[in-house]
Amino acid sequence: MEIVLTPKKESSEVAVSVTASQKEFAPFITAAANAISNEISVKGFRPGKAPQQMVIDTVGLDRVLHKAMDDAIPHFFAKAIIEKDIEIVNRPSISVEEIGIDTPFRFTASAEVVPDITLADPKKLAVTKRTVAATEDQVEQELKRLAKMRGTLTAVDRAATLGDIVTVDFQVKIEGSVIEGGESKNHPIPIGEGRFVPGFEEGLIGTKANEDKTFSIKFPEDYGKQALQGKDALVSAHVHTVQERIIPELNDEFAKTVGKFTDLNNLKEELKKNIETEAKAKEEERYIGELAEKLMENSTFGNLPSSLIEHEIDRRMEEFARMLAYQQKTIDEYVVEHNTTTAAMRDTMKESAEKQVRIGLSLRRLAKEHQVEVSEKEITEEANKQLEHFATADHAHEEINPEELRDYVASTLKNTKTLDLLNALANK
C-alpha cells in the first residue's frame, strides 16, 4: 500500500492519498461478492456459496465494487493514519480515483488533523503560587453567616425595617401593564439583601402587616432583560406579615449548638481551618490553570482545525442552554430578549474557545510525550464510585449509559493525571 500526505496550504486539512494494489484489494471484492450472494438467489447454489463471477454476472460489477469499496476505505484509511502517525479530528471527505476488479484501488481522504505542536518546556514556565491564609475578618463573617442560618423568625407588630422579612403580594407594572414575571403571591422579601431591583426592598421599609403600598422603581441600565433596561415601573404591594430575624449571640453556648465544639474559640479554629482548606484548593486550581495557559502561550502550533473550535463553541452553547433551562427559558427566547442572534453569540465565544482548544491540544501533546495512560482498573474503580450515588443498580442503569460513563471517567482521569504531571514538571 502506498501513502502520500499532502498538506493543504493555509489550512489544517491534509489529503491522504492511498493506493492499494490489486492483490491487496482483491480480498474485499471476494468478501463483497460473498456477502451479496447471501442476499440474493443464484440458481443451483445455496445462499453465500455462489462463485464470485456468477454473483458479478447476476447483480453487476458496480454493485460488488461499491460494496468492496465501502469496506476497504475504512480499513486502508485506518492503516494509513496509523502508519503516518496523524490524528484526524473530523469525518474525512472521500474521493475515489481508481477502482476495478483487475486494477489497484486508489482514493484520497481529506480531513482536518491535529496540528504540529512544539511544546514549551514545563520547567521554564514562570507561574507563582500564592500563599493563602484565613483572616480574622473571614472567620467573623463565617460566624455571622452560621448565626444567621440558625436565626429564628418572629412576627412583629411594627413597621418593617432593614433586616426584616416582609411577606407580600405584589405586581410590577410599566405603563399600566404587568411585566413578565412581575407578579407574585405570599412572596418573602428580605429587606436589605439586594436580591431585588434597586428600590424594591427599600420601598417596603415602614410598611406594616395588612397594609398596601404603591411606590416607583427604576430598572438598571444593565438589567438582564434588555426590554426593561432603564425603564420606570410602579410596584403595588400588599403586606401580609413583617417578621424579625432573631440572631443568636455568638458565645460558647452557640458554638455547642453548631457541632461538637467545646467553646467559641474551638469553633473559630475549625472555621479557620475550613476556610484555609477551601482557599488552598482554589489557589491550587488557579495555579494549575495558569500553568496550562502558560504552557499553551509558550508553545507553537500549526493551523488549528476549525472543527475543534466549532465543537468547543457547540459545547458552550449547550451549557448555556442548560443554564437557561433552569430559568425556564430557551436560547430562542434569550436572543429575542437581548436583541441578538445565535450567530452573534457564537462569534463572541470564538476567541475564548480557540484559546481553550490550544490549551487542550497542549495538554494532549504533553500526555503523549510522557505516555500518560489510564488503566482499566482505574477506570472501573472510578466508574463504580460514580455509580454509588444512585440508590439501586437498576436506577443507575436507567440513568447512565455504561459506555458514555466509561469514556467520561477515562477522559477525566487522564486529564487529572496530565495536570498533575504538568505541576510536577513545573516544580522540579
Side-chain angles (χ1 to χ4, degrees):
M1 183 175 77
E2 295 178 6
I3 307 163
V4 177
L5 298 184
T6 308
K8 296 188 177 181
K9 289 183 179 180
E10 305 300 323
S11 168
S12 63
E13 277 196 9
V14 169
V16 184
S17 297
V18 177
T19 301
S21 68
Q22 186 276 333
K23 184 177 179 181
E24 290 171 311
F25 186 51
F28 290 92
I29 296 176
T30 301
N34 289 338
I36 292 172
S37 73
N38 274 309
E39 301 170 1
I40 64 173
S41 176
V42 179
K43 188 175 181 181
F45 294 92
R46 296 195 307 273
K49 299 300 181 180
Q52 177 175 307
Q53 189 57 50
M54 289 196 70
V55 174
I56 292 174
D57 291 342
T58 302
V59 302
L61 180 58
D62 284 350
R63 180 172 171 183
V64 174
L65 289 177
H66 194 278
K67 170 64 176 170
M69 177 186 71
D70 286 347
D71 294 336
I73 287 175
H75 171 80
F76 290 124
F77 182 62
K79 284 186 68 175
I81 63 175
I82 290 171
E83 184 175 322
K84 294 299 184 180
D85 193 26
I86 58 175
E87 298 177 89
I88 66 167
V89 298
N90 65 338
R91 190 180 183 89
S93 61
I94 306 295
S95 173
V96 176
E97 283 90 32
E98 184 176 7
I99 185 172
I101 198 165
D102 296 316
T103 65
F105 175 47
R106 305 178 195 275
F107 70 92
T108 297
S110 297
E112 289 190 311
V113 299
V114 172
D116 290 331
I117 302 173
T118 304
L119 205 60
D121 185 351
K123 299 173 186 176
K124 296 180 180 179
L125 302 178
V127 181
T128 303
K129 190 177 290 188
R130 302 165 187 161
T131 302
V132 296
T135 65
E136 288 301 318
D137 183 59
Q138 286 175 312
V139 174
E140 287 300 319
Q141 290 301 317
E142 184 61 14
L143 271 175
K144 289 177 181 178
R145 188 187 70 81
L146 286 173
K148 186 176 180 180
M149 286 174 58
R150 284 163 174 73
T152 57
L153 295 176
T154 302
V156 291
D157 186 20
R158 61 165 174 75
T161 187
L162 284 175
D164 288 341
I165 309 292
V166 182
T167 302
V168 301
D169 298 340
F170 69 82
Q171 285 187 332
V172 181
K173 296 181 179 180
I174 292 179
E175 297 178 351
S177 299
V178 178
I179 65 173
E180 182 183 354
E183 184 172 17
S184 185
K185 301 284 188 182
N186 293 307
H187 200 111
I189 300 176
I191 297 179
E193 293 190 2
R195 299 185 188 180
F196 288 74
V197 175
F200 193 104
E201 294 168 24
E202 293 82 354
L204 295 171
I205 292 175
T207 59
K208 292 184 178 181
N210 300 314
E211 282 188 356
D212 295 318
K213 185 175 182 181
T214 300
F215 55 93
S216 298
I217 60 171
K218 186 180 182 69
F219 284 90
E221 296 292 342
D222 60 352
Y223 191 66
K225 291 185 178 180
Q226 190 177 39
L228 299 178
Q229 291 176 355
K231 293 291 182 68
D232 292 314
L234 194 66
V235 179
S236 300
H238 173 75
V239 179
H240 289 291
T241 61
V242 177
Q243 294 176 296
E244 180 181 3
R245 194 192 301 273
I246 308 298
I247 307 294
E249 186 180 348
L250 295 175
N251 53 27
D252 293 342
E253 290 305 312
F254 168 74
K256 293 173 184 177
T257 66
V258 175
K260 295 180 180 179
F261 300 104
T262 56
D263 53 31
L264 188 60
N265 283 333
N266 186 206
L267 173 57
K268 285 183 177 182
E269 288 170 4
E270 188 63 26
L271 290 177
K272 186 175 182 180
K273 288 179 186 176
N274 293 343
I275 292 170
E276 287 183 346
T277 297
E278 184 178 345
K280 286 175 181 176
K282 286 182 179 179
E283 170 55 20
E284 188 69 14
E285 184 179 344
R286 182 209 64 81
Y287 173 74
I288 295 294
E290 193 170 336
L291 273 180
E293 277 197 37
K294 288 291 183 183
L295 180 70
M296 175 270 293
E297 289 170 359
N298 290 280
S299 300
T300 57
F301 299 79
N303 292 317
L304 282 188
S306 59
S307 58
L308 286 183
I309 298 170
E310 289 302 311
H311 180 73
E312 175 62 17
I313 294 173
D314 288 342
R315 186 192 66 78
R316 294 178 181 212
M317 289 291 287
E318 288 168 7
E319 190 176 273
F320 187 62
R322 285 194 295 271
M323 183 195 75
L324 288 175
Y326 284 118
Q327 304 172 22
Q328 297 183 327
K329 292 183 181 180
T330 65
I331 289 283
D332 290 341
E333 291 170 336
Y334 177 87
V335 298
V336 171
E337 284 181 5
H338 293 79
N339 193 28
T340 185
T341 63
T342 53
M345 289 174 65
R346 294 178 68 88
D347 193 53
T348 61
M349 297 176 181
K350 189 171 183 178
E351 184 177 346
S352 60
E354 181 176 331
K355 179 180 176 181
Q356 190 59 49
V357 167
R358 288 179 184 274
I359 290 173
L361 290 174
S362 300
L363 293 173
R364 183 174 177 172
R365 177 55 59 91
L366 181 69
K368 185 176 181 179
E369 289 185 2
H370 290 266
Q371 298 180 326
V372 176
E373 298 294 342
V374 180
S375 69
E376 285 299 323
K377 181 182 177 183
E378 289 173 312
I379 294 172
T380 300
E381 288 176 352
E382 182 59 30
N384 287 338
K385 287 181 185 176
Q386 298 277 344
L387 294 173
E388 287 174 2
H389 296 294
F390 293 90
T392 65
D394 287 342
H395 187 207
H397 286 299
E398 288 174 6
E399 297 292 326
I400 296 291
N401 180 304
E403 284 302 313
E404 289 180 359
L405 174 62
R406 186 199 174 282
D407 291 345
Y408 169 77
V409 167
S411 174
T412 301
L413 287 175
K414 188 167 185 177
N415 189 54
T416 300
K417 280 190 172 186
T418 305
L419 291 172
D420 288 344
L421 169 67
L422 176 61
N423 191 5
L425 292 172
N427 287 281
K428 269 191 174 182

